[in-house]
Amino acid sequence: FISSADELFGPVTSYWHPGQPTKHLPWTAFMMTPSDWECVNDVYQIISDANSIQHIFSHDHLATLWCAIPAFEELQTSWEVKSQSPKFSLYKDAIRNGLNKLAKYYNKFDEKPVCVLALILHPYYKLAYIKMAWGGPKEQHQELEARNPNAKDWHDEALKILEHMVKEYW
């Protein structure tokens, strides 16, 4: 289509600057090379990760709060893998910016115990997910040995949230 569009329809647009001759932009200026299409497919793969996670939250009749933390973690893991892949090296900065934005909102879960509580109360995940995904005393000890001053026993933290909520609302 594009190769014959110039003949059939003329330029797609024309533009001019004061004191300059008018320039006509042909349709062929928008032809994409195979390399351009590869870039489009790469970006599609990156964006589709976020799109699939967004669909998790699109239920009209199902509660989805319990899946907020695992969904964030799934997207983060996927983008971290892509940021290390040579195939996506062109997009490394953009992926890193996306990961930074995810981290900003993921860290807000620390302020919202309801997300952890929803995960604990879910019949499938319960406390086992927190211990498996975030760690318990063993992982805290390893983090402390690695000189991470912010190391936590996340299993214990989740138990504290649960105990606090039971005391407050029971």
Side-chain angles (χ1 to χ4, degrees):
F1 168 79
I2 290 181
S3 58
S4 62
D6 287 328
E7 293 175 26
L8 293 171
F9 305 110
V12 68
T13 191
S14 299
Y15 61 95
W16 64 275
H17 295 283
Q20 301 278 330
T22 300
K23 292 189 178 185
H24 303 288
L25 190 59
W27 287 85
T28 51
F30 295 98
M31 276 184 98
M32 292 181 65
T33 66
S35 172
D36 294 333
W37 284 111
E38 284 180 37
C39 290
V40 168
N41 286 326
D42 291 345
V43 171
Y44 173 79
Q45 288 178 24
I46 296 166
I47 292 173
S48 67
D49 294 333
N51 185 50
S52 64
I53 297 301
Q54 182 271 330
H55 282 287
I56 292 171
F57 300 104
S58 297
H59 292 285
D60 289 335
H61 305 291
L62 296 175
T64 59
L65 182 59
W66 63 268
C67 63
I69 294 173
F72 263 74
E73 291 172 348
E74 182 181 335
L75 181 57
Q76 178 182 357
T77 300
S78 177
W79 280 357
E80 284 172 347
V81 168
K82 282 183 172 67
S83 74
Q84 300 303 314
S85 170
K87 177 180 178 180
F88 297 101
S89 62
L90 179 63
Y91 315 100
K92 191 171 188 156
D93 290 340
I95 294 171
R96 181 64 38 211
N97 289 339
L99 285 167
N100 290 340
K101 186 61 77 172
L102 272 177
K104 173 184 172 183
Y105 290 102
Y106 184 81
N107 290 333
K108 291 186 183 288
F109 288 134
D110 291 345
E111 303 164 12
K112 306 291 181 199
V114 69
C115 295
V116 173
L117 191 60
L119 201 55
I120 293 169
L121 295 176
H122 189 275
Y124 176 77
Y125 288 107
K126 303 180 185 178
L127 280 167
Y129 174 83
I130 291 171
K131 191 168 190 177
M132 184 266 316
W134 304 340
K138 178 182 170 189
E139 289 77 12
Q140 180 188 24
H141 180 71
Q142 291 171 344
E143 288 285 318
L144 288 170
E145 284 182 345
R147 304 215 191 300
N148 178 357
N150 300 317
K152 288 186 180 182
D153 176 348
W154 287 105
H155 186 262
D156 186 53
E157 292 290 320
L159 278 174
K160 287 177 186 174
I161 289 170
L162 181 60
E163 289 169 3
H164 173 74
M165 291 297 164
V166 167
K167 284 178 186 174
E168 187 172 331
Y169 294 104
W170 209 274

